Amino acid sequence: MIVELLDTTIREGEQTANVSFTVDQKVEIVQLLDEFGVEFIELGHPAVSPDVRDAVDRISKLDIKANKLIHGRALPADIDDAVKYNVPWMGMFFGTSPLSLEHKFQIDQEEALKRIRDAVSYAKDKDLKVRFTAEDATRTDFGFLTDVFGVAEEAGADRFSIPDTVGTMSPGTIREFVTKICEVINIPLHVHCHNDYGLAAANTLAGMEAGALLGDVTINGLGERSGIAALAEVAIALKMLYKVENDWKLELLPKISRVVERASGVFNSENRPVVGMYAFTHKAGLHTRAVLKDPRTYEAFPPEVVDRNRHITIDKYSGHDAVRARLQDMNIQTTDEQLDEILTKIKSKPQKRRFSDIDLIEVADDVLDIDLRARVPLGVEAIIQMGLSSALYTTRITRRLMGFSQVKEVYEITGDYDVVVHVVANSIGDLNDFIEELRVSEGVEQTATHIILKGYEKDTD
Ligand code: COA
Ligand code: ZN
């Protein structure tokens, strides 16, 4: 199976409510996407605004492997832009559904065909490669859609794109739709699936199964309303489930996702596949017991595929094996009796939403009767509790923290502190620098740091 991806984070993704990237952010996103290996990158629609124009101008000059495509209407002015920025591909869209013809253009089918023919011919005369998008294709009368594609192909279109503009397809209906379209066209087909019913990734894959060569995606599934299919979800499924062979660098997916979370201000849910904080975290005792023996028992694919680590949370759902493993992770050894006692204490603690490493260390300190913090760590893991001057800062600080590469987890708590952050630093010096940076953040009133033991050298006592 040969497949391609077109990433449109900096065009469709920027159409997400309240999202606007700076030109520098777009450049960073494009470079990461190129390193990942997407085959096409949509640069933007220059007519939108001067800053989109600046971004298109900058990115059009970048030396990248991906094919560059400029988005625009079936109008000479937009086509001229693609020529002006010297980009090989024009992604030309034109609404073809009855709703588009009536409300957007107030024209009949005959006139639409004429406009499409003229625009594609105009672009071909300028030596552009044309991907013609029949906007709202999935709600377009099928007979008319074949006329549209016939006219566009005759005028020289190189590829077609069928957007499921309002996300009303299901995997079954899009499979049938794409199959029928592939029978009447002679050029490669793309699918662009919106997520209004939460089916974007499934529909994209179903469309590709049925013969579409390429799927449109955005990082974190950004886009109008509920967005479109997410790069990470589509890419991992294509590689792991469909066994697509290519050089996509899956290990970059979490990093790319984080960069876009920070740049967009739109953050993923914890349980989002692949990139969500909990995607590789196991909890129930029976699961963790099995996972510790062989992770395949409860993992669809290993976290290492995307350069992430497996986690096991400890709380009342835990069993002996999980607690022993977590303690061993922190270089804390116990006898069986001590472990029993620790587990009993964990299960009988007043239940709270999150039982953290600090809580575990406290229980272990208590049972083992030693001060576990008095060791010399090489690499440092730390839990930093932060008190904020007002709850108004919580979301902002949490989001900011998630942008730091040292930060493994951030969560909100109630009680004396408001936010807890789990940090991995290379040295105490690094950690101190990080804490200093936190301390001076607006809204941070106090911090308390607990160093946990990772790669310790020797006991000090
Ligand atoms: N192909 C050709 N012409 C199209 C078209 C298309 N796909 N879509 C719209 N048009 C035409 C309309 O018919 C209308 O023409 P008219 O002026 O002759 O009536 C014109 O484009 C749009 O009209 P209007 O909404 O008044 O334009 P505007 O100048 O206020 O704004 C944009 C145009 C493109 C700058 C503005 O809508 C914008 O910034 N859009 C963001 C990009 C966007 O909407 N993308 C959709 C992605 S799928
Ligand atoms: Zn779209």
Side-chain angles (χ1 to χ4, degrees), residues 179-442:
T179 305
K180 273 165 59 187
I181 288 173
C182 286
E183 281 165 12
V184 297
I185 63 171
N186 304 295
I187 56 177
L189 186 68
H190 297 185
V191 285
H192 174 103
C193 298
H194 274 266
N195 203 31
D196 299 71
Y197 282 105
L199 295 173
N203 287 345
T204 302
L205 294 165
M208 293 173 108
E209 269 179 34
L213 169 67
L214 178 149
D216 280 13
V217 292
T218 55
I219 300 160
N220 300 337
L222 293 178
E224 288 275 350
R225 307 182 309 280
S226 308
I228 68 166
L231 167 68
E233 288 153 40
V234 172
I236 198 89
L238 285 169
K239 293 287 280 192
M240 306 303 289
L241 296 177
Y242 292 78
K243 313 287 182 212
V244 163
E245 281 181 28
N246 60 25
D247 298 327
W248 293 338
K249 293 205 171 76
L250 296 180
E251 65 276 18
L252 288 177
L253 289 171
K255 177 177 175 190
I256 294 176
S257 169
R258 284 231 173 168
V259 165
V260 170
E261 281 186 310
R262 205 173 44 203
S264 64
V266 178
F267 289 81
N268 291 312
S269 64
E270 279 80 355
N271 61 354
R272 178 155 214 149
V274 187
V275 294
M277 206 178 275
Y278 300 161
F280 302 99
T281 299
H282 303 278
K283 173 163 158 172
L286 299 178
H287 288 221
T288 53
R289 184 180 161 83
V291 163
L292 288 166
K293 295 209 172 85
D294 185 340
R296 289 174 302 179
T297 48
Y298 285 101
E299 278 174 6
F301 57 92
E304 295 78 25
V305 170
V306 289
D307 195 25
R308 294 196 54 186
N309 298 312
R310 177 173 305 118
H311 288 285
I312 289 176
T313 60
I314 302 295
D315 70 2
K316 66 177 174 190
Y317 273 84
S318 305
H320 285 82
D321 289 357
V323 175
R324 186 188 297 110
R326 185 73 199 123
L327 290 170
Q328 277 172 0
D329 258 2
M330 298 193 279
N331 277 305
I332 301 170
Q333 314 296 339
T334 63
T335 63
D336 287 351
E337 294 72 40
Q338 287 168 332
L339 188 66
D340 273 345
E341 201 183 326
I342 288 171
L343 198 63
T344 308
K345 280 190 189 256
I346 291 171
K347 287 187 185 265
S348 56
K349 271 209 157 213
Q351 295 305 326
K352 47 182 183 173
R353 210 173 68 189
R354 193 179 196 288
F355 187 87
S356 69
D357 279 340
I358 302 175
D359 299 309
L360 180 60
I361 290 171
E362 257 170 35
V363 173
D365 271 6
D366 199 20
V367 171
L368 304 181
D369 198 25
I370 52 168
D371 185 359
L372 290 166
R373 286 172 229 145
R375 298 190 184 196
V376 182
L378 285 178
V380 189
E381 278 192 49
I383 302 282
I384 303 167
Q385 293 164 295
M386 300 170 63
L388 309 180
S389 56
S390 149
L392 292 173
Y393 290 105
T394 312
T395 309
R396 199 197 304 168
I397 295 273
T398 306
R399 289 177 174 184
R400 177 153 181 259
L401 285 167
M402 288 172 75
F404 287 97
S405 60
Q406 299 98 320
V407 170
K408 286 178 84 177
E409 291 177 279
V410 187
Y411 41 94
E412 292 168 25
I413 53 169
T414 45
D416 294 345
Y417 293 92
D418 305 290
V419 174
V420 171
V421 49
H422 180 185
V423 178
V424 178
N426 291 326
S427 65
I428 293 279
D430 269 5
L431 180 67
N432 285 339
D433 290 348
F434 179 77
I435 294 170
E436 206 35 54
E437 204 170 332
L438 290 191
R439 282 217 186 98
V440 298
S441 298
E442 194 187 349

Side-chain angles (χ1 to χ4, degrees), residues 11-12 15 45 47-49 71-75 78 92-95 104-106 115 135 165 192 224:
R11 195 280 295 173
E12 173 86 52
Q15 288 176 219
H45 181 175
V48 168
S49 66
H71 193 66
R73 292 166 294 179
L75 292 176
D78 285 11
M92 180 192 295
F93 64 95
F94 195 93
K104 291 182 63 176
F105 303 114
Q106 295 90 39
R115 291 194 191 179
E135 195 188 357
T165 300
H192 174 103
E224 288 275 350

